[in-house]
Amino acid sequence: MLRRLLDETLDPGYEQAAARRAGAGAGADAAERASAGTGLLGRLVLAGCLLLIGGLTTVVITQVRSSAPQREELRQALIQDIAAQRAAGDLLQQRLIEVRDEATRAREELLAATTQGQNALDELDRAETGAGLTTVRGPGLAVTLTDAPAPDDGGENLGRILDRDVQSVVNELWAAGAEAVAIDGQRLGPTTSIRSAGQAILVDFRPVTNPYLIEAIGPTDMFDRLLESAAGRTLASYASAFGLGLDVVQVEELQLLPGAGAVITQAEPARLRDDAEEGGP
Amino acid sequence: MKGIRTGPLIPILGLAVGIAAGVLLDPTVPTSLQPYLPIAVVAALDAVFGGIRARLDEIFDAKVFVVSFVSNVIVAGLIVFLGDQLGVGAQLSTAVIVVLGIRIFGNVAAIRRHLFRA
């Protein structure tokens, strides 16, 4: 079957028609000549067919050409949508921080009056710092991870920063005594996730981009402990092997803004619930 | 022989008018037909190259050409349509393109042998 497909590229109808004409003899009549494409009618029909073919081809070509910019427009529109939604999200986050500040201030005013309240406040402060809900200041480290430049041959970039790399640096920072950590200005809380989705790295489902700046506030020996840690050494060897950028600097004064905090869906404060039950009818 | 020398004029004129009409009128194709058009064009090209080769073989026949063109386009469209209904539209399109592509190649090779004797 394949042999037939490759050998018989010409429609067998042509040969059959030629054989028929030969059979009809030299004195072929006008109708036969018309069908052979020599008569005026035959040529007109042929012209009509070719007209159709030419029109069809140009229409398809223009269609394909015009649909490419449409796709690009759609992509741009989607990018704009994303940017707008992100800006709206940022605004809401800003508002959340403001409202929380107000709530904190009101709470402090109320609790500061009594010793019991004072104790509760101290405990709250510690918990909130741990949860990354307060602005903190202090000496620390700035770790910058940069993707290796894309290889010239267009192959896979082995020196791309992965979520694992960011995770290991953050984990080592916590282990080295960091009190507050932020990635690209996004504060890490107790439930923060660092994951990759396709090519992008997401911190709490918000994308962070190359170069990745990890800031941490903590004791001064964090620098040495990070560089001597297993993750630090691994990254340093990646840096020399694949050309990814690893840059650790000590910073005198860092300021880390509060994060969005964890969304609590299942847990509820026990004390309030007791109160509610007691206060109920 | 007279037919062969003056013959191509009207069909070529038709082709030129068709291209001009496609460019100038810029007709919009219904969305439901859009997936079948590229296949139809490849099928039509197959018929065209088959016709040119037949002409050089001096066995060209307008009736055969018209019938092969129309049936090529319709059958190619139908196969793709059927494939879409069965969920293998992309694969069947590929199959149609491959078969037609082989035929176009074979015919163009024959035309080249006619024209350059090589």
Side-chain angles (χ1 to χ4, degrees), chain B residues 39-113:
Chain B
I39 298 280
V41 167
V42 176
L45 282 180
D46 173 55
V48 169
F49 283 111
I52 294 173
R53 180 186 170 185
R55 164 147 242 139
L56 292 169
D57 283 350
E58 290 177 22
I59 52 169
F60 183 75
D61 187 302
K63 197 170 80 189
V64 175
F65 173 79
V66 172
V67 171
S68 80
F69 160 63
V70 173
S71 72
N72 254 4
V73 169
I74 290 175
V75 168
L78 273 182
I79 288 177
V80 176
F81 172 74
L82 196 68
D84 274 344
Q85 302 306 309
L86 294 173
V88 288
Q91 290 90 330
L92 266 183
S93 309
T94 312
V96 169
I97 296 280
V98 166
V99 170
L100 293 177
I102 289 173
R103 282 176 50 142
I104 290 175
F105 252 98
N107 282 334
V108 170
I111 292 168
R112 182 203 65 209
R113 279 195 293 274

Side-chain angles (χ1 to χ4, degrees), chain A residues 135-205:
Chain A
T135 305
V136 286
R137 247 183 225 98
L141 288 183
V143 182
T144 313
L145 296 174
T146 323
D147 285 348
D152 295 331
D153 55 10
E156 199 188 352
N157 188 354
L158 293 172
R160 223 162 51 76
I161 302 290
L162 302 176
D163 51 346
R164 264 180 293 155
D165 306 326
V166 180
Q167 278 167 13
S168 63
V169 168
V170 169
N171 284 341
E172 288 300 340
L173 284 170
W174 287 128
E179 287 154 14
V181 180
I183 301 174
D184 277 359
Q186 206 174 325
R187 184 78 170 273
L188 304 192
T191 59
T192 302
S193 62
I194 303 171
R195 301 190 46 222
S196 58
Q199 300 260 312
I201 296 181
L202 306 180
V203 173
D204 263 347
F205 304 108

Side-chain angles (χ1 to χ4, degrees), chain A residues 9-10 21 35 46 50-51 63, chain B residues 11 14 29 50 53 61-62 65 107:
Chain A
T9 52
L10 186 62
R21 273 203 306 281
S35 101
L46 202 59
L50 282 167
L51 190 140
Q63 200 100 56
Chain B
V29 183
R53 180 186 170 185
D61 187 302
F65 173 79
N107 282 334

